Amino acid sequence: MEKSYDPHSIEQRWYQTWESNGWFAPSMEGGNAYCIMIPPPNVTGSLHMGHGFNNTVMDTLVRYRRMKGDNTLWQPGTDHAGIATQMVVERQLEAAGKTRHDLGRDVFIDRVWEWRGESGGAITRQLRRLGSSLDWQHERFTMDEGLSDAVKEVFVRLFEEGLIYRGKRLVNWDPKLHTAVSDLEVLNEEEKGHMWHMRYPLSNGTGHLVVSTTRPETMLGDCAVAVNPEDERYKHLIGELVELPLTDRKIPIVADEHADPEFGTGCVKITPAHDFNDYAVWQRHRDELAISRQIHGGLINIFTPDAAIRDNEEDEDLLIPPAYIGLDRYEARKRIVADLEEAGLLEQIVDHKLMVPRGDRSGAVIEPYLTDQWYVKVAPLAKPAIEAVESGRIKFVPDNWKNTYYEWMRNIQDWCISRQIWWGHRIPAWYDDAGNVYVGRSEEEVREKHSLSADYPLRQDEDVLDTWFSSALWPFSTLGWPEDTDRLKAFYPTNVLVTGFDIIFFWVARMIMMGLKFMDQVPFHEVYVHGLVRDSQGNKMSKSKGNVLDPIDLIDGIELEALIAKRTSGMMQPHLKQKIEKQTRKEFPDGIPAFGTDALRFTFASLASTGRDINFDLGRIEGYRNFCNKLWNAARYVLMNTEGQDCGQSDGEVELSAADRWIISRLQQAEQTVNGALDGYRFDHAAQAIYEFTWNEYCDWYLELSKPVLNDEGVSETQLRGTRRTLVRVLETILRLAHPIMPFITEEIWQTVKPLAGKSGETLMHEPYPEADDTLVNAAALAEVEWVKLFIMGVRKIRSSMNIAPGKPLPVLLSGGDESDRARSGTYQLYLTKLARLESLVWVAEEEAPESATALVGEMKILIPMAGLIDKEAELARLGKEIERLRGEIAKGEAKLNNPSFADKAPAQIVDGVRHKVEENQAALEQLTDQLEKIKAL
């Protein structure tokens, strides 16, 4: 082994070895089947902290189950990411002065496939850097031939059952991309805006109603004004008509609880073609609103796909004033507001903060828009999906997330599955000139099924399916469905889905519905829901905040200037760039050092408490990089003391010391804890148990306890063999125990240690996972070594408190205690003398003991006479100086806490921090004052 641990030199080498040997593939022989489906990352994506956390969890489970002997599959693949991918290629065309329309659909699709071949694998390369042990030999893509066949099959079957239909409904419309988008692709952010209060004159000439809106341009599509049926101010007006300003239309006043008497004037304009709440009002009052309009049953769409005011020529009864036709929505807003003011119909304009919906890809403000789209009728699919969770066939971890699932599923709306883009699964529907719709797996099938000749004109639907449609089939389509493949029979249903809470409805619920529908089984038995990865202060990571961390930068390191350039790339606002640069220089003055993959993974695991968001602190990953160093150095110590030696692997006689029996006993307990934690998805508990056993017990105690045995001339050969064998076997077991979380360092060390431990396997990842053996737990050894530890810690505490040099041999007196203490002090004198650095060890009667520093081990007193060990005057001066410093710190802290301008106005975490520091200083002051009195008494 190299003297120093260098993750860069081992990680990529080992990953290439694992993958090239096909060691990630399932055995397909015996054992219980265990399968996890990767949430397919976007083909356009790059690794972020959420991916790093999510994949650490999945890989830990997969490696754990693989070592348990299960027939284990972690299915890889990527999502074609319709809108995102199309935008990437369109930007490339735009840079060349072209559009997709210049190329035509077929050539454009070819360009997208070309881009995917050249650049679309970036994220899968990054997943490899994380150590993700995916079965790359069977990687899938949501647009590959097999998955495309599955998509067509599902669409056709659902259509034939009447569960897919085409209809005119309100959707989220992106006017820049010219497509419907899902709720998940809409970002609602608070922005500063205005509220316009407008007067709608009553047709009977008795006055007017004042309505308020943040989008005055939509008034052109109003079909009613709603008031609350219990609002005494307006009850008498229900059923009356108002004049719609700037138009020649009259619209009715309707009673609906959507109108809140406490908000604004209590009067709400109803624009059902451009507002989802208004659309619901229109559905409730459809018949009475039909008296005022016959267009679409009262629905009036005023926009073109570009969100400009559309022409009356499309609808001769639309009655939009010609002055507004063709204007962009915001230009129309300005013109309408000016015309309202000129007509005396503008009551007032007030500043108003509002939630503005923007497309996450285009940044354009989303419009509710009335279009013809394809829909899945989901209520019949939702019912069995709800029952699957209610019955316990699918369990959420943590359990409370099932309530979120129920809330969504019990209020589910039909699912809009069509998108007006080119990249994606084209809808398998064809139209003839008469407007008839034919659905089939191919045009040939359609012609044959409906007896249409080869020259009968048909054109395929231009739309593609929502990306979530193909993703909903992921658990079975990736395994070869609709063919009845061996992989499908072996691995469906899968075991656990690892995902974030934000896509429970968009992905998890839809996979459950589709799995039950087409496989007649749940797609997975458990759903492990993890939180978001936030920065160390608990803030969401975002580019605009300048607090984004790249997992690859944490693995490889990055210099300060490169980090600043990365965080500010693409930013147009100079003040924001300056702010983020300043913030980055302060937080990372020396850039980010290379921590390696294992330290990053262990950090994620240690923070993975169920269901909670993760506050990622660089201090934690630094600590776990130190843990890697500790493990490396421990292995080097073991090798230096065992290589070329008899390690008791043969049939020779072996004698185990109390320390050997103790560490073997503690190992069984650690194994039991880790196995239970991983089975229960408590990755934080597993990491904690591995860390504490490895660092605190094996490295800090057992390795030290082994030194007197290995170095004392009076130790027998059988005892030496026992200690060497224990050193090697426990280390080898630690490597197997930690491997699922820290695969690289454990594999590297194991390859060197395995011959000493009697192992001959090719890779650690195929070795059996450690399981506790209760017969190896020795209660007597546990008690004996705990006594030794308490004794040594007692002496060390006295050294520290009295500022005695660590290497100075100490005369120790013992008093009190019982016969077991006397026996132990003799049996373990070698340990005590060497590890506590004792000059002598003598039992005395309590009344004969001189004035001494004291520590307790049960009823036994450890006494160290101070005379001659310390410079009394120098120590009194040192303690006095430190006591005065602490008193000053306490006074400053208390002054802050007693100052109302600080205690009441500072952030709570800052105030709590000051209070905690004061308490720490007070405890330290009490301890030092006690020491001072003891030294004065010498």
Side-chain angles (χ1 to χ4, degrees), residues 15 18 23-25 55 58-64 66 72-76 127-128 130-136 601 739-740 743 765:
Y15 196 90
W18 293 331
W23 289 339
F24 299 149
N55 278 268
M58 287 187 284
D59 196 45
T60 297
L61 289 171
V62 165
R63 289 179 182 272
Y64 171 62
R66 190 183 287 125
T72 304
L73 168 65
W74 186 9
Q75 176 62 52
L127 289 176
R128 288 171 165 88
L130 277 178
S132 300
S133 58
L134 291 142
D135 182 15
W136 294 112
R601 287 172 58 120
H739 178 75
M765 65 189 294

Side-chain angles (χ1 to χ4, degrees), residues 451-499:
S451 302
L452 304 175
S453 64
D455 58 355
Y456 186 80
L458 288 177
R459 69 182 189 283
Q460 187 174 355
D461 197 303
E462 293 289 327
D463 291 354
V464 300
L465 287 163
D466 176 16
T467 299
W468 294 105
F469 190 89
S470 52
S471 297
L473 319 182
W474 191 248
F476 54 91
S477 64
T478 52
L479 297 175
W481 187 91
E483 301 299 323
D484 190 23
T485 65
D486 290 341
R487 287 168 71 87
L488 187 64
K489 286 184 279 191
F491 295 112
Y492 192 93
T494 68
N495 294 77
V496 60
L497 178 75
V498 179
T499 187

Side-chain angles (χ1 to χ4, degrees), residues 739-755:
H739 178 75
I741 302 177
M742 305 166 67
F744 293 109
I745 188 173
T746 52
E747 181 78 84
E748 178 75 8
I749 297 173
W750 186 82
Q751 293 291 338
T752 307
V753 169
K754 70 177 181 180

Side-chain angles (χ1 to χ4, degrees), residues 656-706:
L656 298 180
S657 67
D660 296 333
R661 295 192 299 275
W662 167 76
I663 197 65
I664 291 169
S665 299
R666 284 295 300 121
L667 177 60
Q668 309 315 305
Q669 295 169 339
E671 288 170 359
Q672 185 175 26
T673 299
V674 174
N675 275 267
L678 292 178
D679 287 339
Y681 303 106
R682 289 309 304 261
F683 305 96
D684 53 338
H685 290 176
Q688 181 182 12
I690 292 169
Y691 180 92
E692 289 183 353
F693 176 78
T694 305
W695 189 304
N696 299 336
E697 295 181 307
Y698 183 71
C699 295
D700 281 1
W701 280 106
Y702 180 69
L703 296 190
E704 292 303 309
L705 290 168
S706 72

Side-chain angles (χ1 to χ4, degrees), residues 598-609:
D598 288 318
L600 176 62
R601 287 172 58 120
F602 205 89
T603 306
F604 281 134
S606 71
L607 294 169
S609 56

Side-chain angles (χ1 to χ4, degrees), residues 821-887:
D821 292 316
R822 288 179 177 271
R824 286 166 172 167
S825 68
T827 302
Y828 302 114
Q829 187 165 357
L830 179 62
Y831 288 150
L832 303 179
T833 301
K834 296 292 186 182
L835 271 66
R837 295 188 181 275
L838 306 185
E839 180 184 274
S840 58
L841 186 62
V842 179
W843 281 87
V844 297
E846 216 166 327
E847 61 274 11
E848 297 175 0
E851 189 66 37
S852 305
T854 306
L856 288 174
V857 178
E859 298 297 319
M860 182 185 75
K861 290 182 179 179
I862 301 174
L863 308 169
I864 300 179
M866 290 293 101
L869 288 178
I870 62 171
D871 183 333
K872 181 177 177 179
E873 296 305 318
E875 189 62 13
L876 288 174
R878 184 187 72 82
L879 289 172
K881 185 176 180 181
E882 182 62 14
I883 286 170
E884 285 306 309
R885 187 191 69 80
L886 284 173
R887 284 173 176 162

Side-chain angles (χ1 to χ4, degrees), residues 226-231 234-235 238 254-261 266:
V227 298
N228 193 284
E230 303 303 318
D231 194 332
Y234 306 117
K235 269 187 176 181
I238 295 171
V254 299
D256 195 277
E257 292 184 354
H258 172 60
D260 181 359

